[in-house]
Amino acid sequence: MYNFHPYSGGGKIILALLLEMGRINPSDELRDVVYKCTECGACAVSCKFLNTLEPLEIIMKLREKLVDAGYGPMPKQQQYIDSVKKNNNPYNEPHEKRLDWLPEDIELDPNAKVLYYVGCTSSYRREEMAIATAHIMNAAQIHFNILGKDEFCCGSPILRTGDTKTFKEFLNKNLDVIESKGIETVVFSCAGCYDTFKVDYPLYRNYNFRVLHIVEFFDDILETGHLKLTNEVPLTVTYHDPCHLGRNAESYEEWDGDVVDLMPLVSINMPPKPKRTGAKGIYDVPRNILKKIPGLKFVEMERIKEYAYCCGAGAGVKSAFPEFALTTAKNRIQEAEDTGAGALTSACPFCSTNLQDAIKESGSKLKFYDINELLLMALGLETKALKKKMVEAA
Amino acid sequence: MALDKEILKEFVEVVGKDNIDDGEIMTNAYAYNWCMEIFNYMEGKEPIPFSPIPKAVVLPSSTEEVAQIVKLCNKYGIKFKAQSTGLGPWNQPSTDNSIIIDLRRMNKIVKIDAKNLYAVVEPYVSGAQLQLEIMKHGLNCHMPGAGPQVSPLASATSMNGPGFTSPSTGHSARNVLGVEWVLPDGEIMRLGSLGLKNNRNWYNGDGPGPSLRGIMRGWAGAKSGIGVFTRVAVKLFPYPCSTEFKLDGCSPDYDFDIPDFMRVYVMDCGTFKYLEKAMLRIEEEEISFMCSFMSGFAVMAIFATSIEDLMDKMAIGSMKVPLVVIITARTQREFEYKQKVMGMILDEMKLNDIIGTLYTPNPIFYAEALRSNLGLHGFIATGGFQSTKGVCDTAAVCLRSTKKNIPMKKKYIKKEVIANDFGEGHWMTSYESGHYFHVESPTMFDQTDQSSVEGMAEYMEASNQMDLLKHLGAPFFVEGNKLHKLFGPHMSNYHIWLRKIKQAFDPNEIADSGFYISAQEESKEKS
């Protein structure tokens, strides 16, 4: 049912044109088409090889228009927006339980200049990612802190479903807290939070701290020798590029030029306007980490980096259209299996959940590990849960 | 207007409820197509990029489903318009009593016969998809100038199909072998060796008995006006050079190592007369992979990836009559031979190759040439692009057409309705080592500017008239009753015979003839 042209990036540009020309009006039918998209940005990469089209931005604007007209987001998505407003997270979990993931043996430094922004999904659903990140930070003797009860949803699930007004509230809440603490660097294990802080926040409000995904942070530490990977991890592993860490994690570059008419119908940007092509996503860093893990054999899937296939979970699809999300993830699992790998890894809690659901659903023998879990294994710091997973895999 | 619910139910029984949609959003979206605004204006309608809205869009997955859909259309007097990769107004219905059969679910490469040099593809296989698979066998396919994103099946059965590699790969009409064809009444017809009673296969497009290839597609194809093509065999060619090459980096800034045995030459021939001599001389030697005349502006465009990038290539743009030649080889010895021949011709004709001296292309140009992606550069300047002309004839006729067209094009440039390429924006390629030639006049306009759209349409109409009055051959966009009526009497009354074909195959006008010819002289719409 997703084969009709309007489900593509090009088709959604047509929908925007139809809406703009008044040939169609906001409706439930339109909403169903516009929201069946993970906003993975693959269309935007393809459109910018020669052209300057921005299908992803158009899709986001279409959603914004549907929210303004009272048709968006999808009912399930509205439920988690309501939960964010009420609980500061989309999972309807009590805010007080945001720290439940935190093991007692993790050392935090209230005066640290490095902040680990955990995010809702790692706090409530993919705790193993947060735990692994915190243990590795300690192992590397990094002084870091977390916001704890002062951490709120980054707003990504709200922004991607078109409610920019609510998104701005949470953007301001997070930036106010972080800036009040004199933080210099914020690190993220969640690709979605990272993308939102790095790419989307500056479109609304500038801030003066550095943002890094944890793979960038750990790769630096590995390079400087502060972290030694001593244990063999005898796995053949393939890596899935999260859209939020890959093609969508490219910042907008400020352009303050002029459009100069060269001749009738032909104009030129002076100086040339930077194109956001997806080329500056974080692609090599996670691969570098995997290649540094002793005993680990790294193999690539066919569609990678800026052309990577989406896991299927993004932009509210997992909640509103779970079958669509799962079908997409199963395709990706098939691609991962085709490499001959025994394990699949990634660096995003949404990808992690959806790909693991697809592994289970399709009866695949692949094992999924977050990239930080592989690092933990290489450091010999496996948690009980991770050990259990390794035994099951063996 | 949506389908009657009882009729819809019958379509659902064929394709399943997820593969048909008659809702407002889907049907309106399918009414859009690139350049529809020009053709609307030429038909005296409002210049908007939308055709009549189809009654429904249906997505079959097999030939049998297509046949059943067509039979239902016959049963209820509803027209159908089939589309595959769907680029251009030819894919659009001409009436609101039409459904669109979108063939995108039929996207399989059915067979690659490397030994006998052909591949069998379904409608939604793109040229890029096919090329990627056959490269593994050291083979290549012809791709039309529209680019690697379009359907080889559509080009082979239903369109014109010249391409940048036409000197070595011919054009789409010449590359079609066995065909599976759902006729306008829903019967399935198999052409050529595919129609044999015993040992049927795809290797031949003709016979037994008289060939039906001409009836199927003629010069420029019927654009679904004579049925739906569901599978086709197309010829394959040895890959022109080494298939091993290194590609690093990310889109669009790839780092590409030019493969072994590939070289581009760009020369300024100075005059059209000398261009003709040079093209014929080079093609006589059968050494080119690509051999195209383009304007200076167009040569700038094929080497550029953005409008800003285009503007710093003025050294090329100032060339009067540029000729672009690419030679390729599969061995060092063959490569040396071809370079030697090319060198001799350049010496003999006193032509200077500017590559490596005045200009050195970014290596990604070579990848795009292999990928047949160069035509898409026509969109860089204004975002809108369309061609006039399209004659297939001798080099002399093609160049006469070019020369006549320049003053006319300048007139529209002066009106500021099309972009200024000094009137010289033409593309001419040889077919099959210079046996015949193709010329068209790619023209940049602004689809978002009504006066530009109208001006472009008027220029296209004036160009058609000039081709007719000055005997410059048939443009490739002679389609629909109006233009057939205009050109037919001047060209052996071909339109009468074309209409007889339509009458024989589709007397009830179920296959939408908006871009073909109607069975009756004045098409009467059936409700």
Side-chain angles (χ1 to χ4, degrees), chain A residues 119-392:
Chain A
C120 305
T121 310
S122 300
S123 297
Y124 294 107
R125 293 290 180 271
R126 298 252 65 92
E127 296 90 332
E128 73 275 15
M129 291 179 69
I131 293 167
T133 303
H135 276 305
I136 299 167
M137 296 282 260
N138 277 174
Q141 297 180 324
I142 303 294
H143 292 269
F144 79 103
N145 201 3
I146 57 175
L147 289 173
K149 284 177 184 165
D150 285 339
E151 185 181 286
F152 313 106
C153 173
C154 69
S156 176
I158 310 169
L159 174 71
R160 322 252 169 243
T161 50
D163 185 353
T164 41
K165 200 175 149 207
T166 309
F167 167 71
K168 279 184 242 174
E169 284 173 30
F170 279 83
L171 167 156
N172 284 322
K173 274 170 88 168
N174 279 310
L175 289 184
D176 288 347
V177 170
I178 296 170
E179 288 184 335
S180 72
K181 293 182 186 297
I183 299 295
E184 290 172 2
T185 302
V186 182
V187 296
F188 302 84
S189 55
C190 172
C193 301
Y194 167 72
D195 175 18
T196 307
F197 267 74
K198 182 184 172 188
V199 179
D200 300 297
Y201 276 19
L203 298 177
Y204 298 91
R205 177 175 154 184
N206 283 322
Y207 53 79
N208 56 5
F209 50 85
R210 189 169 70 132
V211 293
L212 291 172
H213 189 274
I214 203 72
V215 292
E216 297 175 280
F217 193 73
F218 287 157
D219 190 46
D220 275 352
I221 293 169
L222 287 168
E223 282 296 310
T224 53
H226 287 96
L227 206 54
K228 301 261 185 241
L229 305 179
T230 50
N231 284 28
E232 292 266 320
V233 181
L235 290 172
T236 302
V237 178
T238 191
Y239 174 74
H240 166 77
D241 288 280
C243 309
H244 287 303
L245 186 61
R247 57 192 160 232
N248 288 346
E250 182 172 328
S251 296
Y252 286 91
E253 285 179 52
E254 209 168 314
W255 179 75
D256 188 22
D258 294 311
V259 179
V260 178
D261 288 332
L262 277 187
M263 59 175 89
L265 309 176
V266 181
S267 58
I268 187 169
N269 296 318
M270 293 284 283
K273 197 172 180 179
K275 272 205 278 190
R276 194 167 162 260
T277 61
K280 292 175 191 156
I282 311 300
Y283 301 120
D284 292 334
V285 171
R287 288 171 170 80
N288 290 343
I289 291 178
L290 292 171
K291 286 171 190 170
K292 281 172 191 157
I293 294 178
L296 186 146
K297 186 183 169 200
F298 174 61
V299 287
E300 287 280 22
M301 284 188 262
E302 187 129 340
R303 291 192 281 185
I304 57 169
K305 299 182 178 178
E306 79 273 30
Y307 290 120
Y309 193 60
C310 175
C311 79
V317 165
K318 181 79 175 163
S319 62
F321 308 104
E323 279 304 310
F324 176 27
L326 204 55
T327 306
T328 310
K330 280 190 205 165
N331 283 334
R332 192 57 168 163
I333 293 302
Q334 181 67 57
E335 290 184 20
E337 283 180 337
D338 288 348
T339 65
L344 171 64
T345 188
S346 194
C348 169
F350 294 104
C351 298
S352 169
T353 299
N354 206 35
L355 291 170
Q356 291 194 65
D357 286 352
I359 287 171
K360 200 172 157 192
E361 180 77 14
S362 58
S364 168
K365 290 193 165 53
L366 274 177
K367 289 290 163 195
F368 185 92
Y369 298 97
D370 177 62
I371 192 164
N372 288 323
E373 291 184 298
L374 293 172
L375 273 178
L376 267 192
M377 288 153 77
L379 290 164
L381 296 172
E382 299 92 334
T383 59
K384 260 189 195 168
L386 183 54
K387 275 183 187 157
K388 194 179 161 209
K389 200 193 305 190
M390 289 161 67
V391 169
E392 280 169 12

Side-chain angles (χ1 to χ4, degrees), chain B residues 305-424:
Chain B
T305 53
S306 67
I307 177 76
E308 291 83 8
D309 192 21
L310 191 143
M311 289 303 156
D312 67 12
K313 294 181 173 54
M314 281 309 197
I316 320 173
S318 61
M319 285 192 293
K320 283 183 181 163
V321 183
L323 175 61
V324 181
V325 177
I326 295 178
I327 60 168
T328 52
R330 291 166 65 83
T331 63
Q332 181 65 35
R333 196 169 164 216
E334 183 191 0
F335 191 46
E336 280 166 11
Y337 165 75
K338 287 185 173 177
Q339 287 181 97
K340 199 170 169 186
V341 173
M342 195 63 195
M344 283 168 59
I345 295 171
L346 295 184
D347 286 346
E348 177 189 312
M349 298 196 69
K350 296 188 173 42
L351 289 169
N352 292 319
D353 175 24
I354 67 158
I355 298 298
T357 51
L358 255 182
Y359 183 71
T360 302
N362 184 323
I364 200 68
F365 164 80
Y366 295 84
E368 288 201 75
L370 288 168
R371 199 72 163 157
S372 287
N373 206 43
L374 302 178
L376 299 179
H377 291 239
F379 291 91
I380 288 174
T382 60
F385 158 85
Q386 187 48 273
S387 272
T388 61
K389 307 208 156 285
V391 61
C392 168
D393 214 301
T394 61
V397 168
C398 288
L399 289 172
R400 190 154 64 87
S401 180
T402 302
K403 279 191 279 186
K404 295 272 182 205
N405 193 54
I406 290 172
M408 174 189 282
K409 200 170 187 185
K410 280 182 174 168
K411 206 172 95 185
Y412 288 89
I413 290 167
K414 207 173 166 188
K415 288 184 185 175
E416 302 189 349
V417 291
I418 57 177
N420 187 0
D421 60 7
F422 310 103
E424 292 164 1

Side-chain angles (χ1 to χ4, degrees), chain B residues 441-460:
Chain B
S441 173
T443 302
M444 299 161 287
F445 71 106
D446 185 348
Q447 285 174 271
T448 63
D449 178 329
Q450 190 168 334
S451 65
S452 179
V453 168
E454 291 175 5
M456 179 68 199
E458 284 163 15
Y459 163 57
M460 287 179 78

Side-chain angles (χ1 to χ4, degrees), chain A residues 1 3-7 14-15 18 21 23 29-30 49-50 262-266 268-269 277 279 306-307, chain B residues 18 23-26 29-30 32 48 50 57 59 104 250-252 254 305 307-308 311 382 416-418 420:
Chain A
M1 70 188 294
N3 279 315
F4 293 95
H5 187 49
Y7 290 109
I14 296 171
L15 293 181
L18 288 163
M21 291 177 73
R23 289 176 69 91
E29 190 191 346
L30 178 62
F49 178 68
L50 276 178
L262 277 187
M263 59 175 89
L265 309 176
V266 181
I268 187 169
N269 296 318
T277 61
E306 79 273 30
Y307 290 120
Chain B
D18 290 343
E24 184 201 14
I25 300 302
M26 286 299 169
Y30 271 85
Y32 172 87
I48 52 172
F50 302 100
V57 182
L59 311 179
R104 68 181 57 210
C250 288
S251 174
Y254 293 112
T305 53
I307 177 76
E308 291 83 8
M311 289 303 156
T382 60
E416 302 189 349
V417 291
I418 57 177
N420 187 0

